[in-house]
Amino acid sequence: MPHPPVVTTSIPDVPVQRGKVRDIYDFGDRLLLIATDRISAFDWILPTAISDKGRVLTQISAFWFSQITLPHHLLSLDPSELPIPEGVNLAELEGRSMVVRKTKVIPVECVVRGYLEGSGWKEYQKSQTVCGEPLPPGLLQGSQLPEPIFTPATKAEQGHDENISFQQMCNLLGANLAEDLRKKSLEIYRTAVSRAEQCGIIIADTKFEFGLIGSEVILIDEVLTPDSSRFWAKETYEPGHAQLSFDKQFVREWLESTNWDKNSPPPELPPEIVSQTRSKYIDAYEQLTGESFAWKEE
């Protein structure tokens, strides 16, 4: 049996910000990022959690941070290195916690697309562009792009992030920083794609976040997870239709099959969708890392 899902956490007397998935506790020069088992889709936090999903996200992020040579914010996976008040259930936090350096967050999502899917596919059908970038004619849903493209977006506190042009990003951040982030994002993506393909996974697209410590650019947040990326099975990849995925596209497709209007609270996920989603996330971890997921069974 899976563990009971962790929907929210509580650390008394420590300032906290809660995102769609993460609870972020402020310990001064360090933060504690706790990935809960909440799952979001279409800008809603769903009423049903996916047991151990937060642990999968954390462990995949830790794997990629260990592979990436660029500076990043991860210090430790052990929350007990912070002054956690007595009485907090550390066992509940095990596997889903990252102790990280605090940075000044750069307010742009750095999106890299290597394949044509999602909002990019919808735009291409109308204008043969993605985020204004012209692409060759005749591409299909799921087609690999001639080269990965960098398509930044503004970070939204609420609602959906909004795609912006690279020139708008330059206007927002300055040309030098914008160009540096584009270069770093493409470099990380290409490195990750090569590693993942050896493991039978295609990373169709992904988004990175960066922060600053002084003038140093630091990779932050989660990285190359099934929540921040589209992961496809390489062995069944075939352009022209939706791909077999390891990410929450599975949940999105189930929601699309219901009569939910996306403007009212979403429905509960059925047990079989919860179970299959959990399995997909765990499969992604095990396939990428070659390791058995420590919390697979209770």
Side-chain angles (χ1 to χ4, degrees), residues 11 65 97 124 144 179 193 200 251 272 280 290 297:
I11 301 179
F65 281 128
S97 298
Y124 176 82
Q144 185 173 13
E179 186 55 56
V193 161
V251 170
E272 65 272 15
K280 282 175 178 289
E297 304 294 340

Side-chain angles (χ1 to χ4, degrees), residues 55-67 77 192 195-201 203 223-226 231 246 281-296:
R55 286 177 163 138
V56 173
L57 298 182
T58 300
Q59 299 305 312
I60 288 180
S61 288
F63 166 76
W64 285 116
F65 281 128
S66 74
Q67 304 290 311
L77 299 179
R195 164 74 197 218
E197 284 196 356
Q198 294 171 23
C199 306
I201 290 176
I203 304 175
V223 60
L224 294 156
T225 72
F231 284 5
F246 292 92
Y281 274 74
I282 291 172
D283 287 349
Y285 169 81
E286 294 187 337
Q287 202 161 318
L288 268 176
T289 66
E291 302 285 337
S292 178
F293 181 63
W295 299 271
K296 195 168 187 175

Side-chain angles (χ1 to χ4, degrees), residues 20-22 35-40 49-59 96 226-227 248 277-278 281-282 293:
K20 288 175 181 171
V21 172
R22 280 169 185 75
T36 70
D37 295 329
R38 300 189 292 263
I39 186 167
S40 67
I50 307 295
S51 180
D52 294 315
K53 171 179 167 285
R55 286 177 163 138
V56 173
L57 298 182
T58 300
Q59 299 305 312
R96 63 177 73 249
D227 265 20
K248 63 183 178 182
T277 302
R278 182 177 186 268
Y281 274 74
I282 291 172
F293 181 63

Side-chain angles (χ1 to χ4, degrees), residues 59-289:
Q59 299 305 312
I60 288 180
S61 288
F63 166 76
W64 285 116
F65 281 128
S66 74
Q67 304 290 311
I68 292 167
T69 56
L70 291 168
H72 57 75
H73 69 161
L74 180 60
L75 296 170
S76 169
L77 299 179
D78 183 0
S80 68
E81 293 186 7
L82 293 169
I84 305 286
E86 285 189 25
V88 173
N89 182 1
L90 288 176
E92 186 179 78
L93 306 185
E94 184 186 8
R96 63 177 73 249
S97 298
M98 294 197 299
V99 180
V100 303
R101 293 191 282 171
K102 188 192 285 187
T103 71
K104 180 183 177 183
V105 177
I106 296 169
V108 171
E109 299 272 11
C110 293
V111 180
V112 181
R113 302 170 190 263
Y115 292 76
L116 196 54
E117 188 51 279
S119 63
W121 167 237
K122 288 177 183 175
E123 180 185 332
Y124 176 82
Q125 289 174 283
K126 294 175 184 174
S127 59
Q128 290 192 355
T129 62
V130 172
C131 299
E133 296 266 338
L135 292 175
L139 297 180
L140 304 173
Q141 181 182 11
S143 284
Q144 185 173 13
L145 302 179
E147 289 289 333
I149 59 174
F150 179 75
T151 60
T154 54
K155 286 167 56 64
E157 291 296 323
Q158 299 292 331
H160 205 65
D161 297 338
E162 184 178 339
N163 293 335
I164 59 174
S165 69
F166 183 67
Q167 185 55 55
Q168 287 173 298
M169 182 179 175
C170 290
N171 296 343
L172 193 64
L173 303 179
N176 288 345
L177 179 55
E179 186 55 56
D180 187 38
L181 293 176
R182 176 164 67 176
K183 180 182 175 184
K184 284 180 166 61
S185 298
L186 289 167
E187 178 185 332
I188 299 167
Y189 176 75
R190 287 189 174 105
T191 301
V193 161
S194 176
R195 164 74 197 218
E197 284 196 356
Q198 294 171 23
C199 306
I201 290 176
I202 292 171
I203 304 175
D205 53 42
T206 193
K207 64 179 180 180
F208 302 113
E209 293 198 39
F210 294 90
L212 293 168
I213 298 180
S215 60
E216 185 180 25
V217 175
I218 306 287
L219 181 63
I220 64 170
D221 198 59
E222 65 181 321
V223 60
L224 294 156
T225 72
D227 265 20
S228 66
S229 320
R230 280 189 175 86
F231 284 5
W232 294 341
K234 185 178 177 181
E235 67 179 0
T236 58
Y237 170 68
E238 180 186 56
H241 54 80
Q243 305 300 314
L244 181 63
S245 71
F246 292 92
D247 53 54
K248 63 183 178 182
Q249 185 63 29
F250 181 71
V251 170
R252 292 191 197 102
E253 287 169 6
W254 180 82
L255 289 167
E256 293 269 29
S257 75
T258 71
N259 59 5
W260 178 47
D261 63 5
K262 302 180 187 173
N263 294 312
S264 55
E268 293 273 357
L269 300 177
E272 65 272 15
I273 296 295
V274 172
S275 175
Q276 289 175 59
T277 302
R278 182 177 186 268
S279 294
K280 282 175 178 289
Y281 274 74
I282 291 172
D283 287 349
Y285 169 81
E286 294 187 337
Q287 202 161 318
L288 268 176
T289 66

